Amino acid sequence: MFINPEEILETIEMIEEQALDIRTITLGVSLRSCADPDGKRLCQKIYDRVTSAARKLVPVADGLSAKYGIPIVNKRVAVTAIAEVAEASDLSDYLPVARALDEAAAATGVDFIGGFSALVHKGITPGDERLISSIPRSLAQTKKVCSSVNVATSKAGVNMDAILRMASVVKKTAELTSENDGVGCAKLVIFANIPEDNPFMAGAYHGSGQPDIAVNVGISGPGVVRAVVERYREADLTQLSEIIKKSSFKITRVGELIGREAARLLGAEMGAIDLSLAPTPTPGDSVAGILEAMGLEKTGAPGTTAALALLNDAVKKGGAMATSSTGGLSGAFIPISEDLGMIDAVESGALSLEKLEAMTAVCSVGLDMIIIPGETRVETIAGIIADEMAIAVVNRKCAGVRLIPTPNKSEGELAHFGDLLGFGPVIKVNSFSCSNFVTRGGRIPPPLTSLNN
Amino acid sequence: MSRAVVTVVGEDRVGIVARVSSALAENGVNIEDISQTIMQDLFTMMMLVTVDESRIPIGDLQKRLAQVGGKMGVHITVQHEDLFRFMHRI
């Protein structure tokens, strides 16, 4: 037989016991053709465009899942940044556009639709302004719409005015969705160096350098990596890196196979394979679980950043060998919700916000699904965002911040966001003020890229 | 025609090969290669088969064989061969 029995059984074990799956197929759809001075016509064009482009997405994904016997968990759509599409319209508020996107998502059966977005790292246009003002009500009044705003790049620096603005948007969004512990904020990411082809929500949007329609795939394999790391307890760190690379290669090949097939069947271009380890609440399918299998008592213990650096690098090296279409976020996800090991680390006091921030310096995803006390001040939220943006800008990498100031909850309490977005504990926030710093506004200039010492 | 890998894992008992083979034959599926072994005390059989997907798509064959396997207490999966080629071959 051309493939040996051990290899076949290894694949089946990965899928059935280690939760290997395709986390998402995300169809990037350009909405550039939808711009219209009439707001109603704009919304109709957007609805028609999304429902036509994504009509076959769910059946195609389900068909591939059956053919290869591998779960494809989420089907999503990412669109052109709405601030750019809607700016020419007579709408003063973009809530109707968010509704059109939500209806299109429901009609096509996709889980989420991303791209209620603006890029404001160097300044804000009238369309950006209207979009940002519309975010809280749009996220409160739609189910599937996700929003992202890019406030910093390594070329433009960090736009502190935009950060302060977004901090109040975060706060307002949490308040408008207080009955579900501020779930609106779980659909909002503030970015530095936002990727144009990211398949993962809530930060997916279809960037301006992308083709008309593209298929982007996010893989998920923390359970597989954890299992091999556990199997090789005696391996030194060099050997461990080799072992993780091999696993990552195999996981990524599945994404490559599904991506190619999906693109062919959907008449779209093959976009990016995102080499991220995306955890799920399934026991064992945890990034924290990998770090702990590497030898940490709990994630957050000294050594955590080093372990994560090794893991992230090995995943990328193995994945880069498996596909030439790397893109998206491509890093280890370390959300506090969705990952049972991370939840446990916070609850046991091993993992703090400051340690998480250090970890994001070596993995590209940023502060993800961080639940903070509802009473946290807007200026403090801005300070947390600014710190993360600075890390990303200086390191010339992407980072997103998804903070949830859960109304009426304080440190140690649990917040629940429903089936899709999980739950997690409220983490402690440093109570000293940064107000006089963040309210100065202006822009932190881009960093020098020479004199690297 | 598509090639797929049928995997049967479970406790060894009389008639597993016969029942799986006849279910395949009923659906016009040709067995090209077959190997069986005992791994970790479990009966493990792998078949490379050719499926006429205009007659039965691989996903439907999976459902059909899952029923057959359920009656015998063994676990059966059917997956297109490309999955294994992609994962295990450079």
Side-chain angles (χ1 to χ4, degrees):
Chain A
M1 196 177 265
F2 69 102
I3 292 166
N4 71 46
E6 286 77 13
E7 290 170 335
I8 291 174
L9 291 178
E10 182 190 1
T11 298
I12 290 172
E13 190 182 14
M14 282 179 172
I15 296 169
E16 296 188 355
E17 288 169 31
Q18 297 160 3
L20 171 64
D21 57 41
I22 297 294
R23 191 72 191 277
T24 180
I25 297 183
T26 302
L27 194 68
V29 179
S30 168
L31 297 185
R32 284 195 211 179
S33 60
C34 300
D36 198 292
D38 180 84
K40 273 197 179 146
R41 275 213 306 270
L42 166 74
C43 292
Q44 188 62 47
K45 280 184 181 176
I46 289 176
Y47 178 87
D48 292 345
R49 168 73 172 151
V50 172
T51 48
S52 147
R55 182 173 41 90
K56 290 197 298 181
L57 176 58
V58 173
V60 161
D62 291 346
L64 290 175
S65 181
K67 180 175 178 182
Y68 295 106
I70 180 135
I72 298 174
V73 182
N74 291 298
K75 280 72 75 175
R76 299 164 172 170
V77 171
V79 297
T80 310
I82 290 298
E84 291 166 18
V85 183
E87 184 153 319
S89 78
D90 57 9
L91 293 173
S92 58
D93 179 293
Y94 293 165
L95 175 60
V97 181
R99 288 221 170 94
L101 291 172
D102 206 35
E103 285 161 16
T108 48
V110 299
D111 306 285
F112 281 116
I113 185 162
F116 198 73
S117 305
L119 283 77
V120 298
H121 36 275
K122 205 153 184 184
I124 295 183
T125 69
D128 296 330
E129 176 57 44
R130 289 193 283 272
L131 181 115
I132 290 172
S133 307
S134 314
I135 288 173
R137 285 199 305 137
S138 296
L139 295 182
Q141 295 183 29
T142 59
K143 282 203 172 82
K144 300 186 171 192
V145 174
C146 292
S147 177
S148 52
V149 176
N150 193 63
V151 298
T153 67
S154 294
K155 297 267 188 201
V158 180
N159 185 343
M160 190 60 85
D161 293 314
I163 288 178
L164 197 56
R165 189 70 211 290
M166 287 311 299
S168 67
V169 166
V170 166
K171 188 91 171 170
K172 179 93 177 151
T173 303
E175 284 161 7
L176 291 184
T177 51
S178 60
E179 74 279 10
N180 290 312
D181 285 348
V183 71
C185 296
K187 299 181 284 178
L188 172 61
V189 188
I190 298 148
F191 268 108
N193 297 324
I194 188 170
E196 293 193 330
D197 51 7
N198 160 27
F200 287 103
M201 292 296 173
Y205 94 109
H206 190 67
S208 56
Q210 297 296 302
D212 196 37
I213 303 178
V215 168
N216 300 314
V217 175
I219 50 171
S220 169
V224 175
V225 176
R226 186 192 51 77
V228 296
V229 172
E230 272 181 357
R231 198 171 304 151
Y232 293 92
R233 290 200 177 275
E234 305 304 317
D236 73 16
L237 297 179
T238 316
Q239 292 163 334
L240 203 55
S241 172
E242 281 295 316
I243 291 161
I244 295 171
K245 272 160 62 178
K246 285 179 187 154
S247 274
S248 172
F249 174 85
K250 291 173 190 167
I251 296 166
T252 308
R253 289 298 283 171
V254 181
E256 172 81 4
L257 170 65
I258 298 290
R260 279 190 207 173
E261 280 273 279
R264 184 176 62 79
L265 294 168
L266 291 165
E269 291 201 36
M270 170 79 180
I273 305 294
D274 191 315
L275 309 178
S276 291
L277 286 178
T280 63
T282 307
D285 198 26
S286 156
V287 172
I290 302 171
L291 301 175
E292 287 162 18
M294 286 166 81
L296 303 169
E297 183 184 358
K298 289 271 183 203
T299 296
T304 299
T305 309
L308 183 61
L310 185 158
L311 170 65
N312 203 33
D313 179 67
V315 166
K316 283 187 209 172
K317 284 174 177 161
M321 177 76 185
T323 175
S324 296
S325 310
T326 49
L329 297 166
S330 289
F333 283 41
I334 48 171
I336 295 302
S337 67
E338 302 171 277
D339 185 322
L340 297 178
M342 294 294 282
I343 292 171
D344 179 52
V346 170
E347 287 184 330
S348 61
L351 183 59
S352 66
L353 184 54
E354 288 71 21
K355 186 65 180 177
L356 273 164
E357 188 185 310
M359 291 162 73
T360 65
V362 298
C363 81
S364 65
V365 182
L367 291 173
D368 194 22
M369 293 294 282
I370 309 291
I371 306 154
I372 57 175
E375 62 183 20
T376 310
R377 297 178 59 198
V378 167
E379 293 82 359
T380 302
I381 293 174
I384 297 170
I385 297 170
D387 282 343
E388 189 59 35
M389 298 298 103
I391 286 172
V393 163
V394 170
N395 288 307
R396 293 184 287 284
K397 66 198 275 304
C398 145
V401 174
R402 191 154 50 144
L403 292 174
I404 306 156
T406 296
N408 309 317
K409 292 213 167 155
S410 45
E411 186 191 332
E413 289 186 76
L414 279 182
H416 294 270
F417 308 115
D419 295 341
L420 276 174
L421 295 156
F423 69 98
V426 179
I427 200 166
K428 180 176 190 250
V429 172
N430 186 318
S431 60
F432 289 93
S433 172
C434 60
S435 185
N436 290 342
F437 174 68
V438 297
T439 55
R440 282 172 182 262
R443 200 156 43 83
I444 300 175
L448 202 60
T449 52
S450 56
L451 306 176
N452 281 335
N453 297 321
Chain B
M1 298 292 261
S2 303
R3 294 219 296 185
V5 175
V6 177
T7 316
V8 183
V9 180
E11 209 164 300
D12 197 9
R13 51 174 288 181
V14 175
I16 296 179
V17 178
R19 285 191 207 181
V20 173
S21 308
S22 58
L24 291 172
E26 281 163 23
N27 291 287
V29 176
N30 183 45
I31 300 169
E32 290 194 2
D33 196 353
I34 179 166
S35 80
Q36 66 177 72
T37 179
I38 302 288
M39 289 179 85
Q40 294 160 8
D41 295 333
L42 287 176
F43 170 80
T44 308
M45 176 170 72
M46 275 150 274
M47 292 167 157
L48 182 64
V49 301
T50 318
V51 186
D52 177 0
E53 288 207 77
S54 63
R55 184 165 167 189
I56 182 163
I58 290 177
D60 292 351
L61 182 63
Q62 159 74 54
K63 283 183 201 152
R64 176 77 197 91
L65 288 183
Q67 289 171 353
V68 173
K71 284 181 194 158
M72 292 187 288
V74 296
H75 186 65
I76 305 183
T77 50
V78 186
Q79 290 153 300
H80 194 283
E81 66 160 349
D82 281 352
L83 179 69
F84 305 98
R85 280 194 194 280
F86 261 69
M87 283 179 82
H88 299 285
R89 295 288 176 269
I90 292 178

